[in-house]
Amino acid sequence: MQSADPGEPMPARLSIRVVTDAAASQVFHLGIVKDVTEQKRLSQQLIISERLAVVGELVAGVAHEVRNPLFAITTTLSALARRFRIEKLYSPSLTS
């Protein structure tokens, strides 16, 4: 984990607790500062990954919707091509 450059702001979590002794005569404040730079980076990376996953699902859906009609068209064209080849082979020629 890289530390922030001196003077640069960094994301941090601050926890403060009040601590007293047994007689409650002295009060202390205990503060803990935790650097959450890595957690913030991972959170942003997760958001980007989720967005990319949604885009991937969308693209897959569009590809599926395009591929189905194209398959029907190519199948029909192939059948027509075979039919015309067969008719051409068995039809009498006008030039003979």
Side-chain angles (χ1 to χ4, degrees):
M1 181 171 80
Q2 295 178 353
S3 60
D5 294 328
E8 290 294 317
M10 75 171 192
R13 180 171 293 132
L14 175 64
S15 300
I16 298 176
R17 294 196 172 223
V18 176
V19 181
T20 58
D21 62 3
S25 61
Q26 290 189 348
V27 176
F28 300 96
H29 293 88
L30 175 65
I32 299 172
V33 177
K34 182 177 180 185
D35 181 1
V36 292
T37 304
E38 185 69 10
Q39 289 173 336
K40 187 172 182 177
R41 186 189 67 77
L42 290 173
S43 175
Q44 290 171 344
Q45 188 176 359
L46 178 62
I47 290 169
I48 291 169
S49 295
E50 288 172 347
R51 287 181 183 165
L52 288 174
V54 169
V55 169
E57 289 176 15
L58 179 65
V59 168
V62 169
H64 177 75
E65 292 300 320
V66 169
R67 190 173 37 237
N68 283 345
L70 285 178
F71 179 72
I73 291 168
T74 56
T75 302
T76 303
L77 289 175
S78 294
L80 285 172
R82 281 192 305 273
R83 183 174 178 185
F84 284 127
R85 270 192 300 244
I86 291 170
E87 287 178 3
K88 196 174 189 182
L89 287 174
Y90 293 109
S91 65
S93 176
L94 294 176
T95 59
S96 53

